[in-house]
Amino acid sequence: MSNKNNNYLVPLVIIGVLFFVMGFVTWVNGTLITFFKKAFSLDNTSSYLVTFAFFISYTLMAIPSSMVLKKTGFKNGMSLGLLVMAAGTLIFIPAAEMASYNLFLVGLFTIGIGLTVLQTASNPYVTILGPRDSAAQRISIMGIANKTAGIISQVVVGGLLLAGTSSVDPKDELDKVVVPYLVLTGVLVGLALLIRMSKGLVEVSEEEEAPVATQQIVVEKTSVFQFPNLVLGVIALFCYVGVEVIAGDTIINYGVSLGFAEEEARLFGTYTLGGMMFGYVLGIVLIPKYVSQQSYLMFSAVLGVLVTIVAIFSTGFTSVLCIAVLGFANAVIWPALWPLALSGLGKFTKIGSALLIMGISGGAIMPLVYGGIADSIGSTQKAYWLMLPLYLFILYFGLVGHKKKSW
């Protein structure tokens, strides 16, 4: 372990770069939702097919990704994920030329497949690469890289796609995506080659990281579904990604629906991501020295419930700010959930990680449900009631669910 401790820094820096890339590609979706809604004259439900196409790939590809990683290992798997993402960003070019919303969705789905491989490899890598009780701290550092990239993507890409006067011709509007996505394709291919050639990323074995007592427990279990903390953790992660994506990707549309100009509303997503970054920094300072991962998880869920209620009953910019504050409430849920859900899995860690990755499909389904509710009741504000039961399940996992070791 002493040699491994000396080698933590370089791998974590490399993984930090990957989390930056994942954040840039993921959080630009909020801008794309508003951009496509206007360019293709979509309703709320149709516009949130952006998040559906992007995140549903996690459900479909998580288990295959786990199988791929068994063949390739973490390092080559990360490189492969980046190349698949590059194929997805490249699809945006013909999609713009053909003015095809469906082809854009295919591109987003392909990007999601690459991200699934990348996430399935990188999240357990960060969890295993160091002491378990500080895993949330390390993932929080990764989160800062992720959300910093998200803010940059919304400012830069939002500035290109949403700022200024929109063209009457949808084709001219869609041409705005060509240059940024060509550049992004080049960056992804370059990073894939760098990761492939890098000597800084070492392979780690989840079995050898598990303590002897944990290994003995795992020997007695024959299926990953015999771990209640994992199964409930997958459901909690589904709920979490649902509220995270709703808070991050609906806020621009929500601001526009309240009467804010697109030029102003395009930056609202950065407020949510800024709140998440502040939450990550606080998590790094507090966990595990002053507060445990599960205690912070429960605090986050309670705060999410309270802020959601205020957002629904307040008006104007105050309501928008409440949605942004949800970013702070959501920040440490992801890094706290992972180690609690993976605790004690030993040799089942990779398949457990794949199942958790499937929980990311909450980001596909919940925003689509939100859009459907908003369209059916005619209120993007009241549709936020959807988040309350999601936060309440996260609270249950923090209080009880993660402690269950048998059904």
Side-chain angles (χ1 to χ4, degrees), residues 37-101:
K37 184 178 182 183
K38 189 169 186 178
F40 291 107
S41 301
L42 306 172
D43 60 13
N44 286 301
T45 307
S46 299
S47 69
Y48 290 118
L49 285 172
V50 167
T51 52
F52 182 82
F54 188 87
F55 287 107
I56 199 63
S57 55
Y58 286 92
T59 298
L60 300 177
M61 299 304 299
I63 299 297
S65 293
S66 177
M67 296 167 65
V68 167
L69 287 175
K70 284 183 180 178
K71 299 286 186 182
T72 65
F74 286 121
K75 178 179 172 181
N76 290 337
M78 292 173 192
S79 181
L80 176 63
L82 286 164
L83 289 175
V84 175
M85 288 169 64
T89 55
L90 196 59
I91 290 173
F92 270 50
I93 312 308
E97 291 301 311
M98 297 167 61
S100 171
Y101 184 48

Side-chain angles (χ1 to χ4, degrees), residues 370-391:
Y370 166 87
I373 294 172
D375 283 335
S376 64
I377 66 176
S379 172
T380 54
Q381 185 173 28
K382 289 186 173 61
Y384 284 124
W385 279 114
L386 173 65
M387 293 196 285
L388 287 188
L390 304 180
Y391 278 120

Side-chain angles (χ1 to χ4, degrees), residues 2-331:
S2 59
N3 289 335
K4 285 190 177 182
N5 282 331
N6 292 333
N7 293 329
Y8 285 164
L9 183 59
V10 172
L12 285 177
V13 169
I14 295 172
I15 299 299
V17 172
L18 292 183
F19 269 80
F20 183 93
V21 171
M22 288 190 282
F24 193 97
V25 173
T26 300
W27 292 107
V28 76
N29 285 342
T31 297
L32 291 178
I33 288 166
T34 304
F35 176 70
F36 288 145
K37 184 178 182 183
K38 189 169 186 178
F40 291 107
S41 301
L42 306 172
D43 60 13
N44 286 301
T45 307
S46 299
S47 69
Y48 290 118
L49 285 172
V50 167
T51 52
F52 182 82
F54 188 87
F55 287 107
I56 199 63
S57 55
Y58 286 92
T59 298
L60 300 177
M61 299 304 299
I63 299 297
S65 293
S66 177
M67 296 167 65
V68 167
L69 287 175
K70 284 183 180 178
K71 299 286 186 182
T72 65
F74 286 121
K75 178 179 172 181
N76 290 337
M78 292 173 192
S79 181
L80 176 63
L82 286 164
L83 289 175
V84 175
M85 288 169 64
T89 55
L90 196 59
I91 290 173
F92 270 50
I93 312 308
E97 291 301 311
M98 297 167 61
S100 171
Y101 184 48
N102 288 336
L103 193 54
F104 277 116
L105 295 178
V106 171
L108 287 162
F109 179 77
T110 307
I111 294 169
I113 291 174
L115 270 172
T116 305
V117 177
L118 205 54
Q119 292 261 26
T120 307
S122 58
N123 280 291
Y125 193 95
V126 175
T127 300
I128 294 165
L129 204 67
R132 288 268 175 179
D133 64 353
S134 60
Q137 189 179 60
R138 292 191 299 281
I139 300 176
S140 290
I141 295 172
M142 300 300 107
I144 290 174
N146 186 278
K147 270 57 187 185
T148 299
I151 290 172
I152 292 171
S153 73
Q154 293 206 2
V155 171
V156 174
V157 180
L160 292 171
L161 302 187
L162 299 181
T165 304
S166 297
S167 171
V168 176
D169 185 357
K171 177 65 173 59
D172 290 341
E173 279 292 290
L174 294 171
D175 283 343
K176 293 179 181 178
V177 307
V178 172
V179 173
Y181 274 82
L182 273 176
V183 172
L184 192 53
T185 301
V187 170
L188 290 169
V189 171
L191 275 174
L193 295 176
L194 285 174
I195 294 293
R196 182 71 181 84
M197 296 184 292
S198 170
K199 298 187 185 300
L201 280 177
V202 294
E203 287 295 331
V204 293
S205 171
E206 61 269 24
E207 285 102 347
E208 67 185 46
E209 291 295 327
V212 175
T214 299
Q215 290 174 351
Q216 290 172 346
I217 293 171
V218 172
V219 169
E220 298 171 3
K221 299 193 185 238
T222 57
S223 167
V224 71
F225 296 105
Q226 292 174 302
F227 296 89
N229 62 305
L230 173 70
V231 176
L232 296 173
V234 171
I235 298 171
L237 198 101
F238 177 93
C239 295
Y240 158 69
V241 180
V243 294
E244 181 192 56
V245 175
I246 288 173
D249 284 354
T250 70
I251 192 170
I252 299 176
N253 264 350
Y254 180 50
V256 172
S257 75
L258 292 180
F260 291 94
E262 228 174 53
E263 177 78 17
E264 184 179 2
R266 72 182 177 86
L267 296 175
F268 288 169
T270 66
Y271 302 164
T272 307
L273 295 174
M276 294 192 81
M277 284 184 62
F278 180 68
Y280 280 128
V281 171
L282 204 59
I284 291 169
V285 172
L286 297 178
I287 300 173
K289 187 174 182 180
Y290 300 104
V291 62
S292 68
Q293 294 171 153
Q294 57 266 37
S295 296
Y296 207 138
L297 179 64
M298 290 184 287
F299 162 76
S300 297
V302 171
L303 182 61
V305 169
L306 296 176
V307 173
T308 298
I309 292 171
V310 176
I312 292 168
F313 287 103
S314 56
T315 58
F317 192 61
T318 301
S319 185
V320 170
L321 281 181
C322 285
I323 301 301
V325 170
L326 288 177
F328 171 73
N330 294 338

